[in-house]
Amino acid sequence: MTEPIAGVERILFTEEQIDARIREVAAEISRDYAGKTVKLIGILKGSIFFLTALARYIEVPVKIDFLGISSFSNKSGAPGVVRIAKDLDEGLEDDDVILVEDIVDTGFTLRYLLQTLAGRAPNSLSVCTFLDRRARRIVQVPIRYHGFEIPDRFVVGFGLDHNQLYRNLSYVAVMKQEKA
Ligand code: IMP
Ligand code: MG
């Protein structure tokens, strides 16, 4: 049994649970996109662990590209301005795109990304997020695939960070409550 490291309160999803769930999501995608090629667009940096795990279980041809955006974090909790820091390498004309996110929280980031990518004429555009924290949703965004729904607590691991740390944890964990 994996022992959580310092700073972590409890493990929410183990490596085994994550792997099993990712296989299910990949199977769904493989069914839905049968006969097509999917282009996975990973939002840097949080989604890369999920994206590579997912891609290995998808059974239709897969292309991969990445989009870097300015990071979340705003003490007041208000939605910050989203900015593209690293654009895609290639256009999206005629692509069947799946936007791959680490977590959808308020939905502001995803709404911006969907608007931006929709303007690049993909054949189709859907969203696959590893984690979905619906309790905090402010703007409604269409999420076609998700790994897990999570409670209203800050989580780290499997790509998700706290001040750029903990991304490499093989599990997802709830952080210890910070003293205000
Ligand atoms: P939204 O725009 O509020 O939906 O925020 C989404 C972004 O905030 C995600 O892509 C993450 O980068 C970040 N984020 C939100 N919640 C967490 C968390 O619990 N742990 C780590 N990052 C988070
Ligand atoms: Mg993110």
Side-chain angles (χ1 to χ4, degrees), residues 72 101-109 133 154-155 160-161:
F72 160 104
E101 257 289 27
D102 51 359
I103 182 168
V104 180
D105 190 44
T106 62
F108 282 107
T109 305
R133 193 191 284 115
F154 195 85
V155 296
L160 291 110
D161 75 303

Side-chain angles (χ1 to χ4, degrees), residues 35-49:
K36 296 179 179 164
T37 295
V38 290
K39 181 178 271 190
L40 303 180
I41 294 187
I43 308 308
L44 297 171
K45 313 181 198 53
S47 75
I48 59 171
F49 290 76

